[in-house]
Amino acid sequence: MAGITTCALKSNIDKWENLLFSFNHQESGVKSNVRDVSMLLRFIDEKKYSKITGETLLEFIAWLKDEKGNSAGAINRKISSIKSYIRHLRFLGVKGADTLPIKELPRCREPYSGPIQALEPEEVQKILRAIDTSSVIGYRDYVFYSLIYNLGLRVSEAIGISISDIDFEKEIITIHGKGGKRRVIPIVNQLITNLEKWIILRKKMLNAHMQDALFISKKGKRLAIRTAQDNFKKYVEKAGELSLSKVTPHSLRHAFATHALESESELLVLKTILGHARLETTEIYLHPSINVMRKAMNDHLANDILGAILEKKLDQVKINNRRCFINRKAA
């Protein structure tokens, strides 16, 4: 029977994890990959399977969707991690690994949720002002979230920045994006000042002299995604009522993209800044805000045409009213 034993699947995870680190994969990405495969192992233990086949993988996908309530994006990420791990097992020559049809595994489709809704500029200010910059940690967080908004970064990208990625002389910063892709973005104005000040304050952090990471934690390690998410949640709560029901650090990236397009930035330029592989991904931000739609409607030629017609009708109403008054007086 085709497939791979549960024992073989479990026994090679550490080798795979070490291999990913040796190829300079980001720690957060490696940990995420391992968690995804561990979820498959949990499913296998729960179902008491001794062997994994293509059918097992399909059942796992259905389990993620129906019992675990995973989104299409989360399921696709797990599929990607499992494919990577199975390819590793094939490379090691693990028996049965080459019989698993990972290439044919289907991707889940995201249901259409409509255009992305973004925070208004004043709401972004509201959140950033909720951060107490009088402490070193507070100033770190202020610069971190400002960077995400100013450059339209993913949270993992902001965390992955090292001091050596910043060239203050040329005023550029290298971003390590998805799939190991790098892009260079200009940094300007207040952001440069904020970064320079943070690098000075950063020296007060534990193990700062031993770390190249731009943003480090209280424990002297590169800031973790979970910490960044938890801290942001506190600032959002402190900021008060906002137009979106759910606001995460990624909302700042959405806000950057939406505000850039509303300022008439070119779509192709924005695609490059955001690090999108396809232009269609950038186009989801084309939905204008209420304020932009209101301005467009106020500026439209139809306004002048309808205004002129209405003015004529009002003049006619005044004339008719006056005629009525004259007729009543004559009577």
Side-chain angles (χ1 to χ4, degrees), residues 163-181:
I163 294 177
S164 55
D165 291 322
I166 307 170
D167 188 329
F168 285 104
E169 187 176 339
K170 294 181 180 178
E171 297 185 350
I172 56 175
I173 184 168
T174 300
I175 303 300
H176 304 273
K178 279 185 175 180
K181 293 179 181 178

Side-chain angles (χ1 to χ4, degrees), residues 316-330:
Q316 188 63 42
V317 169
K318 289 177 185 176
I319 292 169
N320 288 338
N321 283 345
R322 189 175 177 189
R323 282 176 182 164
C324 289
F325 176 75
I326 292 169
N327 288 339
R328 283 198 300 272
K329 191 175 180 180

Side-chain angles (χ1 to χ4, degrees), residues 143 147 161-174 185-200 214:
V143 176
L147 200 68
I161 296 172
S162 296
I163 294 177
S164 55
D165 291 322
I166 307 170
D167 188 329
F168 285 104
E169 187 176 339
K170 294 181 180 178
E171 297 185 350
I172 56 175
I173 184 168
T174 300
I185 302 178
I187 47 174
V188 294
N189 303 333
Q190 188 60 41
L191 191 55
I192 294 175
T193 304
N194 290 345
L195 285 169
E196 288 175 335
K197 184 177 177 181
W198 162 241
I199 289 174
I200 294 170
L214 178 61

Side-chain angles (χ1 to χ4, degrees), residues 218-277:
K218 292 178 181 178
K219 296 180 180 179
K221 297 180 180 180
R222 190 179 289 270
L223 187 66
I225 288 181
R226 185 59 183 269
T227 303
Q229 291 170 334
D230 289 345
N231 289 350
F232 190 72
K233 185 178 180 181
K234 295 173 186 175
Y235 299 133
V236 168
E237 290 173 354
K238 190 177 175 182
E241 189 176 348
L242 299 168
S243 59
L244 303 184
S245 57
K246 184 179 180 182
V247 180
T248 67
H250 204 69
S251 302
L252 296 176
R253 175 172 159 90
H254 290 328
F256 164 82
T258 301
H259 301 165
L261 286 173
E262 289 179 358
S263 301
E264 300 182 355
S265 298
E266 290 186 20
L267 197 62
L268 283 173
V269 174
L270 186 60
K271 172 184 174 292
T272 304
I273 294 172
L274 291 171
H276 286 155

Side-chain angles (χ1 to χ4, degrees), residues 107-310:
R107 286 178 61 82
C108 288
R109 294 179 65 88
E110 288 279 7
Y112 180 69
S113 58
I116 286 180
Q117 302 298 320
L119 294 164
E120 296 293 338
E122 57 271 17
E123 291 181 313
V124 174
Q125 286 184 340
K126 198 174 175 184
I127 294 169
L128 294 178
R129 284 173 178 164
I131 303 172
D132 180 9
T133 56
S134 62
S135 68
V136 175
I137 293 296
Y139 196 79
R140 178 203 67 187
D141 288 352
Y142 174 76
V143 176
F144 178 79
Y145 300 119
S146 295
L147 200 68
I148 291 176
Y149 175 63
N150 274 266
L151 302 182
L153 303 180
R154 300 176 179 93
V155 181
S156 59
E157 292 173 343
I159 284 173
I161 296 172
S162 296
I163 294 177
S164 55
D165 291 322
I166 307 170
D167 188 329
F168 285 104
E169 187 176 339
K170 294 181 180 178
E171 297 185 350
I172 56 175
I173 184 168
T174 300
I175 303 300
H176 304 273
K178 279 185 175 180
K181 293 179 181 178
R182 298 195 311 166
R183 62 187 188 277
V184 177
I185 302 178
I187 47 174
V188 294
N189 303 333
Q190 188 60 41
L191 191 55
I192 294 175
T193 304
N194 290 345
L195 285 169
E196 288 175 335
K197 184 177 177 181
W198 162 241
I199 289 174
I200 294 170
L201 289 174
R202 178 186 173 281
K203 293 176 182 177
K204 299 181 179 180
M205 301 284 288
L206 181 66
N207 295 334
H209 64 289
M210 300 170 61
Q211 274 277 4
D212 189 34
L214 178 61
F215 299 107
I216 51 181
S217 67
K218 292 178 181 178
K219 296 180 180 179
K221 297 180 180 180
R222 190 179 289 270
L223 187 66
I225 288 181
R226 185 59 183 269
T227 303
Q229 291 170 334
D230 289 345
N231 289 350
F232 190 72
K233 185 178 180 181
K234 295 173 186 175
Y235 299 133
V236 168
E237 290 173 354
K238 190 177 175 182
E241 189 176 348
L242 299 168
S243 59
L244 303 184
S245 57
K246 184 179 180 182
V247 180
T248 67
H250 204 69
S251 302
L252 296 176
R253 175 172 159 90
H254 290 328
F256 164 82
T258 301
H259 301 165
L261 286 173
E262 289 179 358
S263 301
E264 300 182 355
S265 298
E266 290 186 20
L267 197 62
L268 283 173
V269 174
L270 186 60
K271 172 184 174 292
T272 304
I273 294 172
L274 291 171
H276 286 155
R278 295 159 55 234
L279 189 61
E280 290 86 347
T281 308
T282 314
E283 286 176 343
I284 63 175
Y285 297 102
L286 284 173
H287 177 67
S289 67
I290 290 294
N291 290 336
V292 170
M293 287 191 285
R294 182 178 289 114
K295 183 179 183 301
M297 293 172 73
N298 284 334
D299 292 345
H300 199 280
L301 180 62
N303 240 7
D304 297 331
I305 294 171
L306 294 174
I309 293 171
L310 185 59

Side-chain angles (χ1 to χ4, degrees), residues 63-90:
W63 179 76
L64 289 173
K65 182 178 181 296
D66 300 333
E67 295 190 34
K68 294 303 176 185
N70 278 203
S71 66
I75 293 172
N76 288 335
R77 192 198 68 234
K78 290 180 176 67
I79 291 173
S80 178
S81 297
I82 290 166
K83 283 182 175 180
S84 173
Y85 183 51
I86 298 300
R87 283 194 293 269
H88 172 68
L89 295 179
R90 287 178 177 179

